[in-house]
Amino acid sequence: MQRVYLDNAATTPMHKEVIDTMTQCMHNIYGNPSSTHVFGREAKAQMELSRKKIAELLNVSSSEIVFTSCGTESNNFIIRSCVDHLGVTRIITSTLEHKCVQETVAEMESNRKVEVIRVKLDPSGSVDYDELERILQVSDKKTLVTLMHANNEIGNLLDVEKVQQLCEENNALFHTDTVQTLGHYPMDLSKLKIDFASCSAHKLHGPKGIGFAFVRKSLQFKPQITGGGQERNLRSGTENVYGVVGLAKAFEMSLNDLDKHRAHIEDLKSYTIQKLQEEIPGVEFNGLSADLDKSLYTVLNVRLPFKDALIGFELELKGIAVSQGSACSSGASKVSTVIQSVLDAETIERITPVRVSYSCYNTREDIDRLVNVIKQISEKHLVAHYTFKCHSDEGGI
Ligand code: PLP
């Protein structure tokens, strides 16, 4: 059975060119970048050329890119350093953030006595910008705003320009989790004056185990991981040279092909919405994910009008991989905190959320397969519903 992969917000398949670039590097380069001999200098050169390439693509300085192991580490590094080294005593965030932000902020709240304010969301899950402004204005505590650029489950996009401006006017630092958007949207960080951003290579057809934190130059961080003083003494540990090379290649490819891939994926997303609406009576979509202008184009969160805790398993039996929550919590049939933030308890009881997430490798045939299988599952539920209703009406079981 041909398998269909529609879980690209969890991770993406690597581009062949990225694998080739990394493999070539593995064959030829094996020195430790900290060694002063030629083997080490060769490895160091690969690292720095990659850093320069990424910095150029974001229009920032190389010294503002700090390589890490993943998006989770980047977000941890930024939030913890703001509290530890920049004197942040207040954090403004939301209940929609990825767990690696929410958990870190919660730890700062309980162990470091940082004041944490979770900004109000409207019913579609978007940040209430007026309330954010009001919160920013009422305190002169050193404040960090951490709000994600795009939500990984429901796709809602943050108006980053607006939030950046509000932060600047109110002297707050601004971190945005860009794990789902870097490489998917053009970003000129010389114009968009955010202070911190995060990236993970495996979300853009690069390798797992490598990412970076963007930290604006003027901000004086110290390391969270101490040791040999690598990464200009911001993150010790022998560098993942091959990962860095793969990340730079994947990032470059993503931005070079951005318009072409975006058009292709937007077509797939519109096609999915249209086919589901034709085939599944009562289907809806969670958050803003069906609004092409206001959501991450790679994510569609489908709200099926029946309860089926095993839907992920049933789809998998037919060869289709999707997600019911974020990858970290998949396996659990519990509805995610993001869905709980945008739907009331009564609605959650009678629907099934399914996250479909796309990459440039998906096709309309993949969508036809997905919709056909969802249609079969939906019809099974309809039959079960009417059988139960007839029995009840007859006073049966
Ligand atoms: N932030 C967001 C928005 C994500 O979607 C993810 C991964 O799903 C992460 C952070 C964590 O990234 P990583 O898997 O590289 O640790």
Side-chain angles (χ1 to χ4, degrees):
M1 178 170 46
Q2 184 94 16
R3 294 189 297 177
V4 173
Y5 186 72
L6 284 164
D7 197 15
N8 292 281
T11 196
T12 50
M14 283 174 70
H15 287 314
K16 180 186 174 300
E17 294 86 336
V18 173
I19 298 172
D20 290 347
T21 305
M22 289 176 71
T23 313
Q24 203 186 354
C25 185
M26 284 175 186
H27 280 300
N28 298 325
I29 307 284
Y30 55 89
N32 184 323
S34 296
S35 298
T36 51
H37 48 64
V38 66
F39 295 89
R41 292 200 306 275
E42 280 171 358
K44 181 87 176 163
Q46 291 293 325
M47 294 272 310
E48 295 316 316
L49 285 171
S50 300
R51 195 189 312 273
K52 186 163 176 283
K53 190 187 282 179
I54 293 168
E56 280 169 5
L57 290 165
L58 292 171
N59 212 359
V60 296
S61 145
S62 289
S63 62
E64 295 173 305
I65 303 296
V66 182
F67 292 120
T68 64
S69 64
C70 58
T72 297
E73 187 192 327
S74 300
N75 288 334
N76 264 264
F77 171 57
I78 291 164
I79 295 167
R80 289 173 192 277
S81 299
C82 281
V83 174
D84 290 347
H85 309 306
L86 300 185
V88 162
T89 54
R90 190 171 78 131
I91 297 179
I92 303 173
T93 187
S94 87
T95 54
L96 286 191
E97 303 306 303
H98 188 271
K99 261 185 166 228
C100 66
V101 169
Q102 291 207 47
E103 295 282 315
T104 309
V105 169
E107 193 192 317
M108 297 296 106
E109 186 175 26
S110 56
N111 294 352
R112 306 296 303 276
K113 303 288 169 265
V114 171
E115 180 188 354
V116 175
I117 301 171
R118 290 166 185 87
V119 73
K120 212 163 74 189
L121 305 170
D122 72 14
S124 65
S126 291
V127 166
D128 181 333
Y129 298 103
D130 292 337
E131 203 212 26
L132 175 62
E133 182 168 21
R134 195 187 55 72
I135 298 168
L136 278 166
Q137 287 168 346
V138 295
S139 168
D140 50 16
K141 280 185 178 176
K142 182 92 179 175
T143 298
L144 169 71
V145 172
T146 174
L147 292 171
M148 68 205 310
H149 186 197
N151 184 271
N152 47 304
E153 287 185 54
I154 54 173
N156 289 23
L157 280 171
L158 183 78
D159 186 342
V160 270
E161 284 87 3
K162 188 171 187 147
V163 176
Q164 185 278 320
Q165 215 174 337
L166 288 176
C167 288
E168 195 173 331
E169 283 165 16
N170 292 282
N171 209 15
L173 294 165
F174 179 31
H175 162 233
T176 184
D177 174 352
T178 44
V179 164
Q180 291 289 345
T181 51
L182 274 185
H184 295 286
Y185 291 86
M187 229 174 272
D188 181 345
L189 295 183
S190 71
K191 295 205 175 89
L192 178 63
K193 297 273 182 201
I194 58 178
D195 297 300
F196 314 104
S198 38
C199 180
S200 184
H202 73 96
K203 306 287 186 183
L204 43 107
H205 306 283
K208 291 169 185 59
I210 186 75
F212 67 81
F214 162 73
V215 180
R216 201 160 287 283
K217 203 171 12 192
S218 55
L219 299 163
Q220 297 303 311
F221 273 10
K222 292 188 183 131
Q224 293 289 335
I225 301 174
T226 50
Q230 287 89 344
E231 289 296 286
R232 293 177 322 290
N233 201 26
L234 284 176
R235 182 188 187 264
S236 288
T238 300
E239 300 91 332
N240 175 358
V241 180
Y242 312 120
V244 165
V245 166
L247 163 60
K249 181 70 182 173
F251 199 50
E252 182 183 38
M253 285 182 70
S254 294
L255 292 177
N256 281 348
D257 295 332
L258 195 148
D259 291 339
K260 189 175 77 187
H261 289 167
R262 182 174 178 164
H264 173 68
I265 295 170
E266 281 184 345
D267 172 70
L268 293 180
K269 182 164 167 173
S270 303
Y271 184 66
T272 316
I273 295 169
Q274 179 210 322
K275 294 292 283 181
L276 284 170
Q277 284 173 334
E278 280 169 14
E279 303 291 352
I280 317 291
V283 73
E284 291 180 85
F285 302 94
N286 292 316
L288 294 174
S289 69
D291 184 333
L292 256 58
D293 295 328
K294 294 189 180 153
S295 69
L296 177 63
Y297 58 93
T298 51
V299 165
L300 179 66
N301 199 303
V302 184
R303 190 190 309 166
L304 295 170
F306 50 83
K307 194 80 196 159
D308 190 343
L310 293 177
I311 194 146
F313 179 63
E314 289 169 87
L315 285 162
E316 199 192 334
L317 285 178
K318 302 282 184 183
I320 296 169
V322 292
S323 163
Q324 285 184 269
S326 65
C328 320
S329 54
S330 65
S333 57
K334 216 174 94 195
V335 167
S336 75
T337 53
V338 171
I339 295 296
Q340 287 175 33
S341 296
V342 293
L343 294 182
D344 58 62
E346 186 271 323
T347 308
I348 289 173
E349 275 313 300
R350 58 180 171 76
I351 62 103
T352 305
V354 172
R355 182 187 70 180
V356 180
S357 52
Y358 312 86
S359 83
C360 55
Y361 293 113
N362 289 119
T363 62
R364 278 190 172 217
E365 288 71 44
D366 293 342
I367 308 306
D368 289 337
R369 287 261 314 269
L370 170 78
V371 174
N372 270 337
V373 176
I374 292 182
K375 189 179 173 192
Q376 287 165 23
I377 296 170
S378 162
E379 283 166 354
K380 191 186 73 187
H381 279 275
L382 222 60
V383 170
H385 174 78
Y386 282 113
T387 310
F388 178 74
K389 197 167 177 317
C390 286
H391 277 295
S392 313
D393 292 348
E394 289 161 7
I397 50 164

